[in-house]
């Protein structure tokens, strides 16, 4: 990208006028009734006797005011220093402001005194007590006491920023140009060369329609042989005869010619010479990458947007249509030669490179570590900065955020487990801590996922077919001494030893010794336990609260009831073991909290009970279907069917010869040869 030379022309006819409205000082107030401005103290006392159409921002304790189209000056105490009689007054700068009456200008100090009479066509701002002034269409230099420092003989002036204060300027006098300071000193005498501001210490000049560069003392740095001069990054560049050159202004050295250039950012330029690309650094004033590549592009790290490298490209010398990529630093150091087909950043430090066969390597762009082409796959974990890697032989390993090996590629498998990695080798597993970067011995047969257990975490592990619990610190919460350990449910885990079952708590304490033939998990403080082939309920102390006398039991429901089988008869018990329904039924089917369907063990007839056990209907039904979504089903008496709801209400007459279960809210019914459909409300349509 080319940046043309920009010059700053001092236009005395375009001096800034003061801005009005919302001034920066908080003491200025606006009167909505009169649409005028005034000044108040911090205590709210009005300081100005008059109000104004506008008050500018305060500078050096004074502000410009406007009244009836004319301008004056007030102090920050509200004193009117200059009555609004001027056509306009510029903002104060360096202690002075230009004031105009008609088409003539003078100068005011911050006391409101007219120190330069109103007799000039225009006056610039004052620098070091001096200002450029127009008079009779010529520029001269005057002091703040109206002393003429340099006569009025110049035609134009261009400010130069040698010391960031614009203390110097290029002047034009007739057909000649020179450089002067605001003290009146002639730095470069008038000569027949056009001069332009180029930088803090250089001036561009034109001679015979060619551009060169000199310093502020007039010494030529770059001979005038160029068609144009540009700002280029941290330096400068010129063009001539369709070629481009970079300049070192410190010593006047000039680079080799280039056919084309493009801005590559950060003071670097992409240069082209005979179709080959390189990089020129305008800060170092040198070619950091020689023009020997088919392409060069900026390689920005998406994980660190402040980090930049160059990707260089060479086309294959054989006909495989491949582009070979490499990496070069901003200083020109070759980090990777152009031998690879794919580059991608893994993290803020690690760059993956890949050869045509798909083998990968890792380069640490910060410290220069290079793994070489040894990886078949790389799986990165951004949370820990670790990467699971595999070799060409599909063996697994682990590397850190620097690319250094933590676990060699000798494992059958490595996978994540929370804050850990599990490594498997020779049918044994080891635990790797992501935080501590430590690997346990390969001694575990199994390691399950870590889970929260009370105030800590633990994983179920096994060694030589014995099971225990391992903490993240690598210590045992429960030593491997059980034949099996289940996951924790409601604060307890089932353990077994010698085909007997018990429980441990979240502290790893054995609260119920393995003594039962079978157990369920604790639910609402109760667990089913089998002893002597019979079932009952125990609590966390291991004692039976419901004796083990039943052939089968179900967990207590939300109403605190359990369905039990006692010698082939069904009943229901309460949590204290007392009977809610005596075990006299062939079957018991609770329907949510609505009804309980019971079947007599002798007659096989069905009846209906309320949830509290009271009878809704006697044992009169020959068959009782399953409820559809707990809403309705069929009942049968003497070969005839009807619809019954979940309240035990019969919704139809017993007129159907056959009836199916409800499906999607409808059941098929038959009367004689006719078939139809009926819904859960008992409404039907015959075919």
């Amino acid at each position: 990208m080319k940046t043309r030379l920009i010059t700053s022309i001092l236009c005395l006819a375009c001096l800034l006028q003061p801005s009005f409205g919302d001034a920066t000082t908080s003491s200025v107030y606006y009167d909505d009734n009169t649409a005028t401005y005034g000044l108040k103290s911090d205590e709210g006392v009005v300081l100005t006797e008059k109000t104004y159409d506008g008050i500018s921002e305060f500078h050096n304790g004074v502000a410009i005011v406007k009244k009836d189209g004319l301008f004056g000056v007030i102090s920050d105490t509200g004193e009117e220093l200059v009555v609004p009689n001027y056509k306009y007054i510029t903002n104060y700068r360096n202690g002075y402001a230009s004031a105009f009456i008609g088409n003539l200008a003078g100068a005011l100090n911050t006391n409101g005194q007219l120190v330069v009479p109103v007799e000039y066509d225009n006056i610039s701002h004052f620098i070091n007590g001096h200002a450029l002034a127009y008079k009779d269409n010529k520029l001269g230099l005057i002091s703040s006491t109206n002393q003429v420092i340099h006569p009025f003989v110049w035609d134009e002036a261009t400010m130069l920023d040698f010391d960031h204060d614009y203390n110097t300027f290029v002047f034009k006098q007739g057909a000649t140009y020179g450089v002067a300071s605001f003290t009146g000193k002639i730095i470069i005498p008038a000569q027949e060369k056009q001069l332009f501001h180029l930088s803090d210490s250089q001036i561009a000049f034109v001679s015979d329609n060619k551009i060169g560069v000199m310093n502020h003392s007039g010494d030529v740095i770059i001979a005038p042989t160029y068609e144009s001069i540009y700002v280029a990054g941290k330096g400068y560049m010129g063009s001539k005869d369709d070629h481009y050159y970079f300049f070192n202004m410190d010593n006047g050295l000039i680079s080799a010619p280039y056919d084309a250039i493009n801005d590559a950012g950060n003071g670097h330029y992409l240069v082209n010479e005979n179709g080959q690309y390189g990089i020129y650094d305008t800060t170092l004033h040198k070619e950091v990458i020689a023009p020997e590549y088919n392409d060069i592009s900026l390689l920005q790290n998406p994980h660190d947007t402040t980090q930049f490298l160059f990707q260089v490209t060479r086309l294959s010398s054989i006909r495989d249509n491949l582009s070979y990529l490499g990496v070069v630093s901003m200083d020109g150091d070759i980090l990777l030669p152009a031998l690879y087909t794919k580059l991608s950043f893994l993290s803020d430090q690690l760059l993956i490179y890949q050869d045509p066969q798909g083998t990968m390597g890792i380069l640490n762009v910060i410290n220069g570590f290079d793994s070489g082409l040894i990886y078949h796959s790389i799986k990165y974990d951004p949370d820990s900065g670790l990467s699971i890697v595999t070799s060409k032989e599909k063996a697994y390993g682990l590397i850190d955020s620097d690319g250094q090996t933590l676990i060699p590629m000798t494992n059958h498998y490595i996978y994540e487990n929370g804050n850990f990695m599990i490594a498997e080798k020779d049918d044994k597993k080891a635990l790797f801590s992501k935080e501590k970067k430590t690997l346990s011995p390969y001694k575990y047969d199994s390691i399950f996922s870590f889970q929260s257990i009370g105030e800590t975490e633990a994983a179920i592990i096994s060694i030589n077919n014995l099971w225990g619990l391992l903490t993240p610190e690598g210590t045992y919460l429960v030593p491997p001494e059980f034949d099996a350990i289940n996951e924790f449910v409601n604060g307890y885990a089932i353990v077994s030893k010698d085909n007997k079952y018990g429980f441990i708590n979240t502290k790893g304490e054995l609260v119920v010794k393995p003594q039962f033939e079978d157990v369920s998990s604790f639910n609402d403080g109760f667990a089913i336990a089998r002893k002597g082939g019979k079932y009952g309920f125990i609590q966390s102390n291991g004692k039976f609260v419901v004796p083990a006398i039943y052939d089968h039991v179900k967990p207590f429901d939300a109403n605190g009831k359990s369905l039990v089988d006692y010698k082939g008869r069904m009943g229901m018990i309460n949590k204290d073991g007392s009977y809610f329904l005596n075990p006299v039924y062939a079957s018991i089917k609770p329907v949510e909290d609505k009804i309980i369907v019971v079947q007599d063990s002798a007659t096989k007839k069905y009846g209906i009970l309320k949830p509290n056990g009271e009878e809704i209907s006697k044992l009169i039904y020959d068959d009782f279907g399953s409820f559809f979504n707990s809403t309705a089903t069929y009942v049968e008496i003497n070969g005839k069917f009807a619809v019954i709801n979940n309240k035990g209400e019969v919704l139809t007459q017993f007129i159907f010869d056959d009836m199916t279960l409800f499906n999607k809210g409808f059941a098929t019914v038959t009367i004689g040869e006719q078939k139809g459909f009926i819904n859960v409300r008992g409404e039907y349509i015959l075919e």
Side-chain angles (χ1 to χ4, degrees), residues 240 243-246 254-260 271-273 287 291:
K240 65 178 179 178
H243 286 85
Y244 300 88
Y245 303 80
F246 292 96
I254 303 171
S255 73
Y258 298 107
D259 299 330
V271 296
N272 183 296
E273 183 180 337
E287 194 179 81

Side-chain angles (χ1 to χ4, degrees), residues 133-153:
Y134 263 122
K135 194 171 187 179
D136 299 328
N137 293 321
K138 292 293 183 180
L139 276 168
L141 195 65
I142 64 172
S143 72
S144 59
T145 59
N146 200 32
Q147 179 185 357
V148 176
I149 306 301
H150 195 283
F152 293 84
V153 295

Side-chain angles (χ1 to χ4, degrees), residues 19 50 183 193 195 200 345-346 401 425 499 673:
S19 58
K50 303 177 182 178
T183 63
K193 296 176 181 177
L195 304 177
D200 292 353
F345 275 99
L346 187 67
S401 57
K425 180 171 64 174
N499 293 321
E673 298 296 325

Side-chain angles (χ1 to χ4, degrees), residues 17 89 127 145 162 220 242 265 342 378 403 408 450 547 588 595 600 672 678:
Q17 295 190 37
I89 300 174
I127 296 178
T145 59
F162 283 146
V220 174
D242 296 325
K342 186 177 180 180
I378 301 172
F450 279 87
I588 299 176
I595 57 175
D600 185 73
I678 195 166

Side-chain angles (χ1 to χ4, degrees), residues 366-509:
I366 303 299
N367 61 27
F369 169 77
D370 188 348
S371 69
L373 290 165
I374 59 174
Y375 301 118
H376 174 74
S377 68
I378 301 172
K379 180 183 178 182
Y380 178 65
D381 175 21
D383 293 330
S384 65
L386 305 179
S387 297
I388 299 174
V389 294
T390 62
S391 67
K392 300 174 185 178
E393 294 77 22
K394 305 294 180 67
Y396 284 74
L398 190 69
I399 61 174
D400 64 13
S401 57
D402 292 329
Q404 301 293 328
T405 297
L406 297 173
I407 302 177
M409 290 188 292
T410 58
N411 294 269
H412 174 68
Y413 199 70
I414 293 179
Y415 58 92
E416 294 190 57
N417 185 346
N419 294 322
F420 297 85
M421 296 280 189
I422 308 299
E424 181 178 342
K425 180 171 64 174
D426 299 329
D427 294 328
K428 294 292 183 181
K429 295 179 174 64
L431 194 66
F432 179 85
S433 170
K434 294 182 183 178
E435 179 181 358
K436 297 181 180 179
K437 307 294 189 294
T438 55
L439 182 69
S440 74
Y442 287 84
K443 63 180 182 179
Y444 302 105
D445 298 317
S446 299
I447 303 177
F448 288 90
S449 297
F450 279 87
Q451 59 175 314
S452 295
I453 299 174
E455 298 179 356
T456 185
E457 288 187 332
I460 300 174
I461 55 92
S462 69
I463 299 177
N464 299 326
N465 294 322
L466 292 177
W467 296 80
L469 290 176
L470 187 69
T471 68
E473 291 73 30
T475 60
Y476 289 121
L477 181 67
V478 176
E481 59 187 17
F482 293 104
D483 297 334
I485 296 180
N486 288 7
E487 292 189 356
F488 280 81
V489 177
N490 296 323
Y492 297 92
I494 299 172
V495 296
S496 69
K497 186 73 174 177
D498 300 329
N499 293 321
K500 298 294 183 182
Y501 296 88
F503 292 89
I504 58 174
N505 63 17
T506 56
K507 296 179 180 180
E509 299 169 335

Side-chain angles (χ1 to χ4, degrees), residues 512-576:
V512 178
K513 292 181 180 181
Q515 56 186 290
F516 301 107
E517 298 156 8
D518 194 8
V519 292
S520 71
S521 296
F522 275 98
N523 181 27
D524 199 23
F526 294 87
I528 299 171
R530 186 179 72 186
K531 200 166 188 177
K534 298 295 182 179
Y535 291 90
F537 286 90
I538 62 171
Q539 291 184 314
S540 59
N541 58 10
K543 296 181 179 180
F544 280 103
V545 291
V546 175
I549 61 174
Y550 298 103
D551 298 324
H552 295 285
V553 297
K554 287 189 176 182
F556 287 107
D557 61 21
N559 297 316
K561 304 293 187 291
S562 170
L563 188 64
V564 297
D565 181 346
Y566 182 71
K567 297 181 179 181
R569 297 291 185 265
M570 305 302 295
M572 295 183 78
I573 60 173
N574 299 304
K575 286 185 176 181
D576 60 3

Side-chain angles (χ1 to χ4, degrees), residues 49-277:
E49 295 182 1
K50 303 177 182 178
T51 55
Y52 302 95
D53 300 329
I55 300 178
S56 75
E57 297 179 0
F58 277 84
H59 295 280
N60 303 117
V62 294
I64 313 300
V65 295
K66 184 179 181 181
K67 183 73 172 180
D68 299 328
L70 296 176
F71 294 80
V73 180
I74 63 170
S75 71
D76 55 9
T77 62
E79 180 184 359
E80 189 174 77
L81 302 176
V82 177
V83 177
N85 289 326
Y86 288 94
K87 182 177 180 181
Y88 63 86
I89 300 174
T90 66
N91 282 323
Y92 275 87
R93 183 170 177 180
N94 298 326
Y96 299 93
S98 298
F100 292 80
I101 295 177
N103 293 323
L104 296 178
L108 298 168
N109 65 15
T110 53
N111 294 325
Q113 298 170 328
L114 186 67
V115 294
V116 175
V118 181
E119 60 184 29
Y120 298 99
D121 298 329
N122 213 332
I123 298 177
S124 76
H125 58 264
F126 279 80
I127 296 178
N128 294 327
H130 298 82
L132 287 165
Y134 263 122
K135 194 171 187 179
D136 299 328
N137 293 321
K138 292 293 183 180
L139 276 168
L141 195 65
I142 64 172
S143 72
S144 59
T145 59
N146 200 32
Q147 179 185 357
V148 176
I149 306 301
H150 195 283
F152 293 84
V153 295
W154 298 324
D155 298 305
E156 295 177 4
T158 303
M159 305 296 287
L160 297 178
D161 188 15
F162 283 146
D163 50 12
H164 304 284
D165 237 346
Y166 292 101
N167 284 332
T168 53
F169 54 89
V170 172
F171 63 83
K172 180 182 179 184
Q173 185 174 346
T176 62
Y177 294 83
V179 177
S181 74
F182 269 84
T183 63
K185 179 183 177 181
I186 303 298
I187 298 173
I188 299 176
Q191 51 189 299
E192 292 184 0
K193 296 176 181 177
Q194 189 173 0
L195 304 177
F196 301 97
H197 171 224
L198 185 62
S199 72
D200 292 353
S201 56
Q202 287 93 32
I203 301 170
F205 67 92
V206 178
S207 179
D208 296 330
N209 292 322
K210 298 294 184 180
I211 302 176
V213 179
M214 66 173 64
N215 61 25
H216 63 273
S217 298
D219 301 323
V220 174
I221 303 173
I222 305 296
T225 60
Y226 296 91
E227 297 160 3
S228 59
I229 291 180
Y230 305 88
V231 176
K234 307 294 184 180
Y236 299 91
M237 180 193 64
S239 65
K240 65 178 179 178
D241 302 327
D242 296 325
H243 286 85
Y244 300 88
Y245 303 80
F246 292 96
F247 303 140
N248 185 339
M249 294 300 189
D250 296 332
N251 53 28
L253 293 179
I254 303 171
S255 73
Y258 298 107
D259 299 330
I261 66 163
N262 281 288
D263 190 353
N266 297 305
H268 293 74
Y269 274 76
L270 181 68
V271 296
N272 183 296
E273 183 180 337
N274 299 321
Q276 298 292 297
Y277 290 92

Side-chain angles (χ1 to χ4, degrees), residues 298-309:
L298 199 62
L299 184 63
Q300 185 176 8
N301 189 339
H303 307 283
D304 182 0
T305 56
T306 64
Q307 186 183 113
F308 293 91
L309 299 167

